[in-house]
Amino acid sequence: GAGVSQSPSNKVTEKGKDVELRCDPISGHTALYWYRQSLGQGLEFLIYFQGNSAPDKSGLPSDRFSAERTGGSVSTLTIQRTQQEDSAVYLCASSPGTGGYGYTFGSGTRLTVV
Amino acid sequence: AQSVSQHNHHVILSEAASLELGCNYSYGGTVNLFWYVQYPGQHLQLLLKYFSGDPLVKGIKGFEAEFIKSKFSFNLRKPSVQWSDTAEYFCAAYHNAGNMLTFGGGTRLMVKP
């Protein structure tokens, strides 16, 4: 696609429920990143996919968070048993190679846990 | 671990004032440096980037940044800001020992008309 597409744009969920956030990167971009942006905070790295390599999960805050990337394209970030502190904007970005080229960001998914 | 620091969290300027936002990074090797901007309600967009060569980089909308290796800095400048520059600005750094960009905490700029 022309840009990085994320869905849904907004998600309100009850505490304890599971949520899935989707990211469709730019066609041909081998690298895909998930970040989290909390109110008044910077961007917190969550997970990185590069081609068919094993993902770098070093930023995931707990085992309630997981992500997968199917066919080297679309990615899904799953948060199980959501907590109020998970409320944030979840950003997806893609890059044609490594992060050294810079990223193209999606518009994000605003997650609110009530 | 690499870190990026933006010491100005909030900046308020009047239109036509000059702007300089500070950015420092911690990694001593080769780095690629970026400034991103997030206008209200919009997604992050690339303003400018430095890979190598001329340390003075010009970006979109009249912004520029200067890479000073000895100071580990990459400050963003604009000679005369406009109300439409109201946004949050993020500095980011990449080094090839890692695989992703490290972002600073962001600076919220408000330009008063």
Side-chain angles (χ1 to χ4, degrees):
Chain A
V4 177
S5 177
Q6 290 189 248
S7 61
S9 55
N10 282 283
K11 176 73 176 178
V12 180
T13 190
E14 292 181 352
K15 178 181 173 182
K17 300 284 189 183
D18 298 351
V19 295
E20 285 189 351
L21 312 180
R22 177 189 168 101
C23 173
D24 196 347
I26 290 175
S27 178
H29 279 195
T30 58
L32 186 149
Y33 306 82
W34 285 97
Y35 283 76
R36 179 166 70 174
Q37 185 177 23
S38 303
L39 189 62
Q41 304 295 315
L43 277 71
E44 176 189 5
F45 165 74
L46 297 177
I47 189 168
Y48 157 63
F49 295 89
Q50 175 61 271
N52 296 319
S53 302
D56 178 347
K57 304 179 183 179
S58 59
L60 294 178
S62 78
D63 59 7
R64 296 186 296 104
F65 287 73
S66 63
E68 63 177 19
R69 188 179 185 191
T70 55
S73 181
V74 172
S75 177
T76 302
L77 176 69
T78 301
I79 309 173
Q80 295 178 311
R81 306 180 303 282
T82 52
Q83 303 294 313
Q84 288 187 325
E85 60 263 28
D86 299 334
S87 296
V89 176
Y90 288 81
L91 295 170
C92 178
S94 70
S95 176
T98 66
Y101 294 93
Y103 300 161
T104 301
F105 281 93
S107 299
T109 294
R110 182 176 297 279
L111 175 67
T112 304
V113 182
V114 299
Chain B
Q2 178 177 234
S3 66
V4 177
S5 300
Q6 293 180 242
H7 302 294
N8 311 104
H9 299 294
H10 291 89
V11 174
I12 301 174
L13 295 173
S14 297
E15 276 194 314
S18 63
L19 169 72
E20 181 160 3
L21 302 182
C23 173
N24 289 92
Y25 62 94
S26 63
Y27 186 66
T30 301
V31 291
N32 295 348
L33 297 161
F34 305 83
W35 276 97
Y36 282 83
V37 61
Q38 187 172 33
Y39 298 105
Q42 297 189 26
H43 63 280
L44 281 152
Q45 303 170 42
L46 182 66
L47 259 184
L48 48 78
K49 58 188 176 185
Y50 171 79
F51 286 178
S52 63
D54 188 343
L56 184 62
V57 180
K58 295 191 182 299
I60 61 171
K61 304 186 180 185
F63 285 91
E64 64 180 32
E66 185 175 12
F67 170 57
I68 303 180
K69 188 173 182 179
S70 61
K71 295 184 178 180
F72 296 89
S73 71
F74 189 58
N75 292 355
L76 181 70
R77 301 195 295 246
K78 185 170 184 178
S80 176
V81 294
Q82 301 172 310
W83 175 78
S84 58
D85 293 324
T86 294
E88 189 161 16
Y89 294 81
F90 292 91
C91 182
Y94 171 86
H95 65 92
N96 59 11
N99 290 311
M100 72 288 294
L101 296 185
T102 301
F103 286 84
T107 298
R108 287 184 182 272
L109 171 65
M110 177 182 291
V111 180
K112 298 187 293 185

